[in-house]
Amino acid sequence: MEMDAKSILEYLQRIEWKENNSLRLFWVKISHGSRDILAQELKSSENHDVIVPLVLRETLFLSANAVMADFSRLLESNRKNFESLQIEGGRKITVIILLKENFKLSQISSPVVLPRWFPVLGGTETYLHISDLMWNAELDLLNCNDAQIGSLASALYELESTIVERIRQVSLVDHRKARPLIDTLFDGAGATSDVLDRFEATLRGVPDPKGYRPNSQNKNSLISLLFSMVMRSSPDALSKVATNLCKATDDCSTDILRPTLFAIMLRPSSKTDTTIKNWHSILLAAYQVYQLMNAAAHAGDYPKYPATLIHANSRDLIQFLHMANQYVGILFAETEIGS
């Protein structure tokens, strides 16, 4: 995730100061663009608390045993930045360390003695804690752009449409291939063509894919019925649904989809074919999107989470859904559907 001055300031505002603290330190990875320009933009920002951005060019903080010495060296190298500050009574200092790469130490905690010239707490011992700004900036799912709910909904809609279209293609040649899946999803479904008509009508009725939000109770939506199966099935039992999806789409692919991290946690215990593994991963990724959309719609009922975690999770899901859609789309390239 690329950061600019505005984003950094917004994240800082979300992090409350600890009681009796007047100095805090965060690090931010800036892999692209000028760190010097970013530092100047942060310096010139209007903020109640004083912000001191430091561009780290030295090799520091590689060992937990050298934290105090490295911190002292960092302050001395940037002494002018601190001595030029106009610190009024009660104001606090936030130090932002700008790096090209991630910090070598994930979190730094150590007692340090601040130099006498330091504008706050000079000459006293304080507890130093340097942490990842993105990890500490908690965001509400409902209001968080990093959750990318609209993009997730659109990608899920596209995937469902492609799957339904593929099942229709296969059924025109042999309607029996889809029956195990349909009969597993619900009783008294009716003719295969009628079921697919209802699935397609549901998708056509969606005015904007970015606002698509399936309901697990909707029996006229393929993905909604699949969500209901996921909620009622163990990872091993879900393999049966994945097997039926393989049959319904006539999937004989040898490609391997990289599952989302969530799907790895709920992988089946028994060994299965590649295609079944792929559809198992598709089911769990789609269900993960469904639950995330529900959480976003009721964000007040859930805790806050770090920005990096929200962003990484959504990015992983969107990437997987796009790969899954391509995976199903490739099945259309087959010139002959097996009997």
Side-chain angles (χ1 to χ4, degrees), residues 152-211:
L152 286 169
S154 180
L156 183 62
Y157 175 86
E158 183 181 10
L159 177 60
E160 181 182 3
S161 300
T162 305
I163 294 173
V164 171
E165 186 179 355
R166 173 59 181 174
I167 295 175
R168 171 73 80 179
Q169 182 193 47
V170 173
S171 296
L172 290 174
V173 177
D174 186 353
H175 68 89
R176 295 170 299 177
K177 288 185 177 292
R179 286 315 306 185
L181 174 65
I182 292 173
D183 292 339
T184 298
L185 293 177
F186 55 103
D187 297 328
T192 299
S193 60
D194 292 340
V195 173
L196 292 175
D197 285 344
R198 296 199 297 270
F199 290 166
E200 290 169 346
T202 297
L203 290 166
R204 287 196 303 270
V206 176
D208 182 2
K210 288 186 177 180

Side-chain angles (χ1 to χ4, degrees), residues 22-95:
S22 56
L23 172 66
R24 61 182 183 177
L25 298 91
F26 299 103
W27 64 268
V28 180
K29 177 183 176 181
I30 307 296
S31 54
H32 302 287
S34 171
R35 289 179 292 163
D36 290 309
I37 293 177
L38 177 58
Q40 188 57 44
E41 291 174 347
L42 289 171
K43 284 181 183 178
S44 59
S45 65
E46 294 185 4
N47 198 287
H48 173 72
D49 298 323
V50 178
I51 297 176
V52 181
L54 304 179
V55 178
L56 185 62
R57 295 187 172 89
E58 300 177 85
T59 305
L60 301 176
F61 304 112
L62 299 180
S63 170
N65 295 325
V67 168
M68 182 178 291
D70 287 346
F71 182 62
S72 297
R73 184 175 173 180
L74 177 67
L75 293 185
E76 286 295 340
S77 299
N78 294 275
R79 183 168 178 170
K80 291 182 179 179
N81 290 327
F82 292 100
E83 289 184 328
S84 61
L85 296 176
Q86 299 296 322
I87 303 295
E88 301 173 1
R91 298 192 71 184
K92 303 174 181 180
I93 295 179
T94 297
V95 177

Side-chain angles (χ1 to χ4, degrees), residues 226-245:
L226 290 174
F227 291 154
S228 181
M229 292 299 301
V230 174
M231 287 188 282
R232 300 198 310 265
S233 304
S234 67
D236 287 335
L238 201 59
S239 292
K240 180 181 179 181
V241 183
T243 300
N244 290 335
L245 275 166

Side-chain angles (χ1 to χ4, degrees), residues 135-146:
W135 189 254
N136 281 270
E138 294 184 329
L139 300 176
D140 191 303
L141 281 173
L142 182 61
N143 301 321
C144 177
N145 291 331
D146 291 319

Side-chain angles (χ1 to χ4, degrees), residues 90-154:
R91 298 192 71 184
K92 303 174 181 180
I93 295 179
T94 297
V95 177
I96 303 291
I97 303 176
L98 305 176
L99 307 106
K100 276 287 187 182
E101 302 293 338
N102 287 324
F103 227 67
K104 299 304 180 182
L105 299 177
S106 58
Q107 302 288 337
I108 292 180
S109 297
S110 175
V112 296
V113 177
L114 295 171
R116 292 187 178 279
W117 53 260
F118 201 75
V120 296
L121 304 176
T124 64
E125 183 178 84
T126 187
Y127 193 76
L128 170 67
H129 183 77
I130 306 178
S131 55
D132 183 349
L133 173 64
M134 296 297 292
W135 189 254
N136 281 270
E138 294 184 329
L139 300 176
D140 191 303
L141 281 173
L142 182 61
N143 301 321
C144 177
N145 291 331
D146 291 319
Q148 302 182 77
I149 299 300
S151 296
L152 286 169
S154 180

